[in-house]
Amino acid sequence: MILPGKTIGVLGGGQLGRMLAQAATRMGYRVQVFEPQPHCPAGAVAHREVNAAYEDVAALSAFARECDVVTYEFENVPSGPLKQIAELTQLRPHWSVLETAQNRSREKRWLREHGIPHAPFVEVAPGGDLAGAIKSLGFPCVAKTASFGYDGKGQVKVRTEADVMAAQVMFRGLPAVVEQFVPFACEVSAVVARSGDGEIRVFPIAENIHTNHILDFSIVPARVSADVAAQTEALACRIATEIGLVGVMGVECFVKPGGEVLVNELAPRTHNSGHYTMDACATSQFEQQVRAICGLPLGDPTLISPAVMVNILGDAWEGGEPNWGKILAEPSARLHLYGKAEARPGRKMGHFTVLATDAETALAKARELKERL
Ligand code: AMP
């Protein structure tokens, strides 16, 4: 057990690292952040921030030696340097989990090999037959880069021959995955935690509404049948166990109109759709991450209140500083800002969560507050 007073290292200094650092410092841990860009959101609330490239093995090794456990909040940390620091300290989750999840080809292959339901897909090697892969799946389908994709970056929907040509230009020389388009009824996600001794807890399933491929609203409880919620929870638990997770993982899923759940993506860290847990659950996903990586007993994930989380993107700054007074004046809303200096369109700057007696009431209030920002 890594007890309070010890040092947690976080690779990546974004908002997930920041909220992890806040939870960890509250619990009495020391936190160090490793992030290439100076003045990062997590560094502002940690005991120490180290700025160096992830490929700088000397800097990364020195960092690892000072930490009792190291975790990652950023999915694109290269797995090579991670393998090296795993020799120096406890790395949780294991580097192999990140290696599987950070590459769509490996991730989809892992799902297939483990019999986890997913959309049919074809892998395309660099310079490979993208058009052939699209043809074999049929229109519409979605072509995605195998690595470094998130929030819909590096993906294109293919509906026509013209789209095939555009995809060929976009993915020239890159490894890609083509998958069948899933005409989903809704998207849901589960945040699951697993400790080293195999204890598992899942947070209540969130229903997610994306706008321009970026998460916009998470609604909890998800407006799905008990069977869909149970399927999603069961899949998340199976994945956490079979992949050997020690930590927290977000599992994103599509729900088909008939109620079948397909897994879309795995993220071996806390997840944007789990931010509602900070205000609405007995334990937050960030405290749960600390507990899981430090070998403490896992916390109670019970939902205390229905909730809706809304992301605040840089777009909200278009007409100047957003009107925070509207959110702050609403007793049922909680505002979280990540301390990012520059507001760019699509950049996640913060979020707010609205609590209510039921999800529909929370959603109506959340939409109203978002409009008035
Ligand atoms: P991803 O980057 O794979 O998480 O995709 C981002 C979003 O694009 C998803 O949350 C979906 O809204 C949409 N999307 C991705 N893949 C598919 C698919 N095969 N079928 C339908 N929608 C998709």
Side-chain angles (χ1 to χ4, degrees):
M1 231 187 255
I2 296 161
L3 292 172
K6 298 286 186 187
T7 300
I8 297 175
V10 187
L11 304 179
Q15 64 270 15
L16 300 179
R18 178 182 174 96
M19 292 183 273
L20 167 60
Q22 286 168 332
T25 52
R26 182 176 57 78
M27 295 167 80
Y29 288 92
R30 292 186 60 80
V31 177
Q32 300 204 15
V33 172
F34 191 100
E35 156 68 46
Q37 302 290 330
H39 312 299
C40 63
V45 300
H47 293 90
R48 182 163 170 254
E49 173 179 345
V50 175
N51 300 123
Y54 294 119
E55 294 78 5
D56 183 341
V57 175
L60 202 55
S61 299
F63 175 83
R65 283 196 194 93
E66 290 188 20
C67 300
D68 298 288
V69 60
V70 171
T71 192
Y72 36 83
E73 65 96 65
F74 175 64
E75 231 172 304
N76 293 326
V77 177
S79 60
L82 275 190
K83 290 177 195 175
Q84 304 207 12
I85 64 166
E87 308 281 316
L88 304 171
T89 187
Q90 299 274 0
L91 177 69
R92 293 174 176 163
H94 193 266
W95 55 262
S96 62
V97 179
L98 185 68
E99 198 172 58
T100 301
Q102 72 185 180
N103 177 284
R104 288 189 203 277
S105 273
R106 275 198 289 272
E107 181 180 62
K108 304 268 171 204
R109 219 182 296 144
W110 189 92
L111 294 173
R112 181 160 62 199
E113 283 163 5
H114 288 80
I116 307 282
H118 58 277
F121 71 97
V122 177
E123 295 177 62
V124 183
D129 186 8
L130 187 69
I134 292 169
K135 199 165 172 203
S136 70
L137 289 166
F139 296 145
C141 60
V142 186
K144 303 179 177 183
T145 51
S147 45
F148 299 114
Y150 65 96
D151 286 345
K153 290 191 173 70
Q155 68 165 271
V156 59
K157 189 169 173 183
V158 184
R159 304 179 187 85
T160 62
E161 289 300 334
D163 293 341
V164 178
M165 311 266 266
Q168 278 173 316
V169 172
M170 184 167 165
F171 296 112
R172 179 165 294 150
L174 296 173
V177 173
V178 184
E179 61 188 49
Q180 218 164 58
F181 182 79
V182 180
F184 53 78
C186 67
E187 293 185 83
V188 295
S189 57
V191 174
V192 57
R194 183 172 177 274
S195 62
D197 58 14
E199 186 189 6
I200 290 195
R201 294 276 186 281
V202 198
F203 286 101
I205 306 307
E207 173 188 345
N208 301 318
I209 300 177
H210 293 85
T211 303
N212 299 325
H213 296 286
I214 302 177
L215 183 63
D216 202 356
F217 296 90
S218 283
I219 303 161
V220 189
R223 296 166 299 175
V224 296
S225 67
D227 174 60
V228 165
Q231 275 186 68
T232 311
E233 278 183 27
L235 285 170
C237 292
R238 236 180 92 194
I239 291 168
T241 302
E242 292 184 20
I243 211 164
L245 178 73
V246 179
V248 164
M249 175 180 264
V251 178
E252 296 177 34
C253 303
F254 299 126
V255 181
K256 294 187 32 175
E260 189 193 349
V261 178
L262 302 182
V263 173
N264 174 38
E265 212 171 38
L266 312 177
R269 49 161 172 77
T270 52
H271 196 261
N272 194 169
S273 68
H275 291 355
Y276 80 89
T277 60
M278 298 171 85
D279 299 309
C281 290
T283 306
S284 79
Q285 63 168 344
F286 300 99
E287 175 172 339
Q288 197 72 308
Q289 184 178 29
V290 172
R291 287 171 176 254
I293 64 173
C294 290
L296 307 179
L298 294 181
D300 174 10
T302 300
L303 189 70
I304 291 171
S305 166
V308 169
M309 190 262 354
V310 184
N311 267 336
I312 303 171
L313 303 182
D315 311 62
W317 273 253
E318 207 178 50
E321 186 76 10
N323 188 354
W324 303 128
K326 295 288 180 201
I327 297 178
L328 295 170
E330 170 53 51
S332 66
R334 296 279 305 270
L335 178 65
H336 301 256
L337 293 172
Y338 309 147
K340 297 184 182 180
E342 195 196 342
R344 291 190 297 270
R347 189 175 197 207
K348 290 173 182 168
M349 303 296 289
H351 71 269
F352 66 91
T353 304
V354 175
L355 305 180
T357 47
D358 60 86
E360 292 296 347
T361 307
L363 183 57
K365 177 59 77 181
R367 286 194 192 280
E368 183 194 320
L369 289 175
K370 190 187 171 186
E371 283 291 300
R372 291 203 263 154
L373 261 186

